[in-house]
Amino acid sequence: MSAIIQLLPDAVANQIAAGEVVQRPASAVKELIENAIDAGADKIRLVVRDGGKSLIQVIDNGCGMSVADARLCFERHATSKIRKAEDLFAIRTMGFRGEALASIAAIAHVELKTRRVEDELGTLVEIEGSEVIRQEPAAVPAGTSISIKNLFYNIPARRNFLKSNPVEMRHIIEEFHRVALAHPRIFFSLHSDEQELFHLPAESLKQRIVHVFGSSYNQRLVPVEEETTIINLSGFIGKPEYAKKTRGEQFFFVNNRFVKDPYLNHAVVKAYEGLLPPDSFPLYVLFIEIDPAKIDINVHPTKTEIKYEDERAIYAILQSAVKRSLGRYNITPTLDFNQETGFSHMISPKPLEEINPPSVSFNPDFNPFDSGKSLGGRPRAAIPQQWDTLYQIAQKTAPSQLELRGDEAEPGADQPAPARKQPFQLHNRYIVSQIHSGFIVIDQQAAHERILFEQFCQQLESRQGASQQSLFPQTVTLNGADFQLIMDLLPDIRALGFEIREFGKNTVVVEGIPADLTAGVSERQVLEQLLEDYKNNQAALKLSRREQLAKSLARHTAIKPGMALSTDDMAELIDRLFACEMPNVSLNGKPVIVTFTLQELSERFER
Ligand code: ADP
Ligand code: MG
């Protein structure tokens, strides 16, 4: 019987491998930049067009390739980086599997130009779907330039699966952030559709972080440094009060390779215990140097997972080092005069003598959520620390209210509904209002969120957001990725009532904000939160983009529990709530209003 098993042709095998190595333009970007780093380049330029779909080009000034290598590099398992199995345990390069170029060449139009410094003439190779269609000598600069055009041109299913250009661009920027942070001593630039998004000169790690994320990060960073026999740890962590709602700013590099590691992440987060607002993620950019023999990188083709011999010890070292840094930062508050308005000024450092150096001790009164820093702008009533004060206030109010309604609306009474009594507030959190059959209790925050949400949705529909001019237009500088995002969202953000103009590189000027945001709101903060939420939600649930924006803005601008409301405010809130399409559903799908009937009350009184 003849064999039915056959070896796959190379082109097919390469296409299959490509499925693992190259999922989207960003994965090709990662592989190409890593090759440039392995080639010893100290200047690396990335150029993309249409979110990488039509062009990804990486130009480096590294070692270049000989004529023979320029052809060989596209063969599968062709690598200059390891020669024998033992080498797998001493890997210091980014690549080693010899898969990337072969995979990419199987699914795109690739043009390679390369020259070693010692050669007079370089080489040009063109490949389409694993087939060499041109190879010739060429006068090119020393180093290597690889262009990848029309990724997935021959796999329509994959090409159609790609997301919109801005989304793919965000993935590319994410990869770019990773390599740029991992190699601050290398110059990097990123051009997208003719616009330069990043221009990062060779610099220190701290300067690189600030360059990538924005100048406001300068005072957010705390250094971490620890040398042990197992690992050397270095890098920066973010001060707890700047923790964000998305994980976007968390980076581990093991021997300069970006890795994802939930276990080690846990060690860092544990060190922050008690210092972070709920559901927030601190920034960290941490480098672990470890003997390559003690790890296995070869767990996954994308090489973002690592197995460690000594996992527990690394966990312990990480946690204690981060804790110590946080402790030290608390002892020596940074004297920073150009600090932005943030929560940091509320952390009052304790006098030195009270502190035991290595332990982390924070002002126990610090709570970023009950400060006067409400987004609603109106000053918030002070919340009494003792609950019994609140209780007394409630008691004082309650009897008079009860007296007022004493004899009317008996259970089952069928007289017409009495004129609505004035609503009142419970614990500065709930609004109580009498209705014909009893009374209702409204969660003030949920109600206001619902009202604003529906209002913002309408504005987005009709494209007519009421805006109020800012007296002092503010410029807001964002990082490249956020700037890109804000430009994508601009029409919708304008419809919400923001008046925003592009103002130079990665900077916008905010000239007006939605009319509902009262004075005292920081434009920068609302914008940043809007972007954070947007990124956050995009990963999680698939709301429509407008719904997301409306929701986020409503959340950040609605009144919060703890805000005292005047009777007029309450009456207006109730009226507007009942004018809503879905008054009784909070933005989380929970009730906004709870009804108590007189019937229920009399049952409680066992009448
Ligand atoms: P790997 O990086 O795992 O070795 P690749 O397919 O990414 O595999 O690259 C294959 C080989 O091509 C590399 O080992 C290297 O010798 C060569 N190469 C790729 N990119 C470059 C570059 N930018 N400069 C010099 N040589 C390169
Ligand atoms: Mg490689």
Side-chain angles (χ1 to χ4, degrees):
M1 231 173 84
S2 68
I4 52 168
I5 299 177
Q6 295 187 0
L7 282 175
L8 289 172
D10 273 355
V12 180
N14 285 340
Q15 267 200 21
I16 292 172
E20 285 186 358
V21 183
V22 185
Q23 284 114 14
R24 54 180 1 134
S27 351
V29 165
K30 169 179 188 275
E31 294 295 339
L32 295 187
I33 295 185
E34 286 188 352
N35 280 347
I37 291 168
D38 286 342
D42 64 8
K43 285 203 173 65
I44 300 176
R45 296 170 206 279
L46 167 64
V47 180
V48 296
R49 225 172 280 145
D50 301 321
K53 290 176 195 168
S54 33
L55 175 73
I56 298 167
Q57 183 179 18
V58 172
I59 306 157
D60 70 54
N61 65 348
C63 63
M65 284 180 256
S66 67
V67 183
D69 284 345
R71 174 65 195 85
L72 261 178
C73 69
F74 293 106
E75 295 294 327
R76 200 138 66 98
H77 306 307
T79 179
S80 55
K81 297 168 196 174
I82 56 173
R83 305 214 171 274
K84 46 192 191 302
E86 296 89 83
D87 294 347
L88 276 174
F89 302 99
I91 287 168
R92 286 275 173 198
T93 50
M94 296 287 119
F96 58 85
R97 298 170 65 111
E99 268 180 337
L101 291 184
S103 302
I104 292 169
I107 51 167
H109 299 150
V110 177
E111 187 191 81
L112 165 72
K113 290 185 216 156
T114 187
R115 178 169 73 84
R116 297 184 302 181
V117 190
E118 62 266 36
D119 298 338
E120 212 154 285
L121 260 188
T123 314
L124 181 147
V125 179
E126 253 182 75
I127 292 204
E128 280 186 22
S130 297
E131 244 179 81
V132 180
I133 53 171
R134 191 151 75 114
Q135 170 156 13
E136 57 199 40
V140 291
T144 302
S145 157
I146 300 194
S147 307
I148 298 178
K149 292 177 193 154
N150 310 321
L151 195 67
F152 298 129
Y153 79 99
N154 52 356
I155 316 181
R158 288 303 280 273
R159 193 163 174 93
N160 296 338
F161 181 72
L162 293 178
K163 299 279 180 346
S164 67
N165 293 354
V167 172
E168 293 301 340
M169 196 54 217
R170 274 202 289 286
H171 285 287
I172 290 175
I173 290 173
E174 195 175 88
E175 287 297 347
F176 184 83
H177 279 169
R178 291 172 183 172
V179 290
L181 289 171
H183 303 277
R185 301 282 172 205
I186 297 179
F187 165 94
F188 284 98
S189 67
L190 166 53
H191 284 83
S192 165
D193 298 331
E194 323 302 330
Q195 219 193 346
E196 187 175 58
L197 297 184
F198 290 95
H199 185 99
L200 309 170
E203 56 200 345
S204 72
L205 174 62
K206 185 167 186 187
Q207 289 167 326
R208 180 57 57 93
I209 296 174
V210 170
H211 242 123
V212 168
F213 292 117
S215 53
S216 61
Y217 280 68
N218 204 18
Q219 78 267 3
R220 302 185 184 188
L221 305 174
V222 182
V224 178
E225 208 63 70
E226 188 75 59
E227 289 193 7
T228 71
T229 49
I230 306 173
I231 59 166
N232 286 345
L233 178 69
S234 63
F236 290 88
I237 54 174
K239 294 178 187 173
E241 64 270 27
Y242 292 106
K244 292 211 170 166
K245 294 283 179 212
T246 40
R247 288 178 190 277
E249 296 172 351
Q250 303 190 325
F251 301 87
F252 276 123
F253 299 101
V254 174
N255 294 346
N256 282 13
R257 180 192 304 282
F258 172 82
V259 296
K260 290 184 191 147
D261 197 315
Y263 183 69
L264 297 188
N265 172 65
H266 191 262
V268 176
V269 172
K270 202 81 183 136
Y272 275 87
E273 200 156 49
L275 301 177
L276 293 173
D279 298 324
S280 63
F281 304 93
L283 169 150
Y284 58 80
V285 182
L286 291 172
F287 288 75
I288 296 173
E289 277 294 317
I290 187 167
D291 176 357
K294 295 210 154 71
I295 54 175
D296 183 3
I297 316 168
N298 203 9
V299 183
H300 191 268
T302 57
K303 297 168 290 195
T304 50
E305 280 172 46
I306 289 190
K307 281 202 166 64
Y308 311 85
E309 217 176 77
D310 228 343
E311 219 172 41
R312 279 157 185 266
I314 299 176
Y315 183 100
I317 295 167
L318 249 176
Q319 188 183 348
S320 75
V322 170
K323 244 190 176 144
R324 195 134 25 111
S325 288
L326 284 169
R328 259 201 309 265
Y329 143 67
N330 194 32
I331 299 166
T332 49
T334 42
L335 287 175
D336 222 326
F337 295 102
N338 52 7
Q339 201 151 356
E340 325 159 276
T341 48
F343 293 123
S344 59
H345 61 284
M346 289 173 229
I347 300 181
S348 47
K350 294 191 168 181
L352 276 175
E353 59 273 20
E354 269 185 47
I355 286 173
N356 283 330
S359 74
V360 179
S361 74
F362 256 66
N363 176 359
D365 296 334
F366 170 62
N367 174 353
F369 298 109
D370 68 10
S371 66
K373 202 163 174 53
S374 109
L375 280 172
R378 300 189 234 185
R380 239 187 241 177
I383 309 170
Q385 289 292 308
Q386 276 80 29
W387 65 272
D388 47 331
T389 340
L390 270 175
Y391 181 69
Q392 279 160 19
I393 296 168
Q395 273 199 324
K396 262 186 238 152
T397 342
S400 60
Q401 299 278 0
L402 285 175
E403 272 160 34
L404 265 175
R405 14 189 112 150
D407 47 8
E408 55 183 40
E410 308 256 1
D414 55 0
Q415 72 251 54
R420 197 164 78 193
K421 296 286 185 233
Q422 287 193 335
F424 63 97
Q425 213 179 1
L426 273 184
H427 296 252
N428 283 349
R429 176 186 273 261
Y430 299 108
I431 300 168
V432 181
S433 177
Q434 184 178 319
I435 56 168
H436 181 58
S437 59
F439 64 96
I440 54 172
V441 181
I442 298 170
D443 179 319
Q444 68 186 42
Q445 179 182 12
H448 197 208
E449 284 180 1
R450 162 58 57 185
I451 293 165
L452 291 176
F453 172 69
E454 293 199 3
Q455 177 193 325
F456 292 141
C457 281
Q458 270 173 11
Q459 288 175 5
L460 285 169
E461 259 327 288
S462 61
R463 311 255 112 203
Q464 300 175 328
S467 180
Q468 67 186 20
Q469 294 287 316
S470 303
L471 277 181
F472 307 103
Q474 270 196 17
T475 56
V476 180
T477 302
L478 302 147
N479 67 50
D482 284 352
F483 179 76
Q484 180 84 5
L485 180 57
I486 223 169
M487 286 298 128
D488 296 338
L489 297 176
L490 207 51
D492 285 335
I493 290 184
R494 286 197 174 128
L496 285 168
F498 285 99
E499 284 182 19
I500 294 184
R501 272 192 304 116
E502 200 176 334
F503 193 70
K505 188 167 174 252
N506 291 350
T507 303
V508 291
V509 57
V510 186
E511 290 169 332
I513 53 172
D516 270 274
L517 313 194
T518 24
V521 181
S522 146
E523 285 88 343
R524 186 187 57 78
Q525 211 171 11
V526 179
L527 265 185
E528 274 189 359
Q529 274 165 336
L530 215 58
L531 295 179
E532 276 297 305
D533 282 2
Y534 188 80
K535 287 185 277 187
N536 215 7
N537 286 335
Q538 235 186 3
L541 52 158
K542 294 273 165 270
L543 290 176
S544 87
R545 134 191 194 151
R546 290 188 184 168
E547 210 169 312
Q548 272 186 46
L549 287 170
K551 217 172 203 176
S552 164
L553 195 59
R555 282 236 163 84
H556 292 300
T557 53
I559 53 172
K560 304 283 182 299
M563 182 184 273
L565 301 174
S566 71
T567 314
D568 287 349
D569 285 345
M570 285 187 264
E572 191 194 327
L573 193 98
I574 295 173
D575 287 345
R576 288 175 66 188
L577 179 64
F578 284 104
C580 282
E581 261 172 49
M582 296 170 72
N584 198 21
V585 186
S586 81
L587 299 194
N588 303 324
K590 304 270 158 56
V592 176
I593 307 162
V594 181
T595 311
F596 294 87
T597 60
L598 291 172
Q599 181 77 35
E600 278 173 84
L601 278 185
S602 33
E603 276 165 19
R604 291 293 298 273
F605 286 110
E606 299 177 10
R607 295 237 169 91

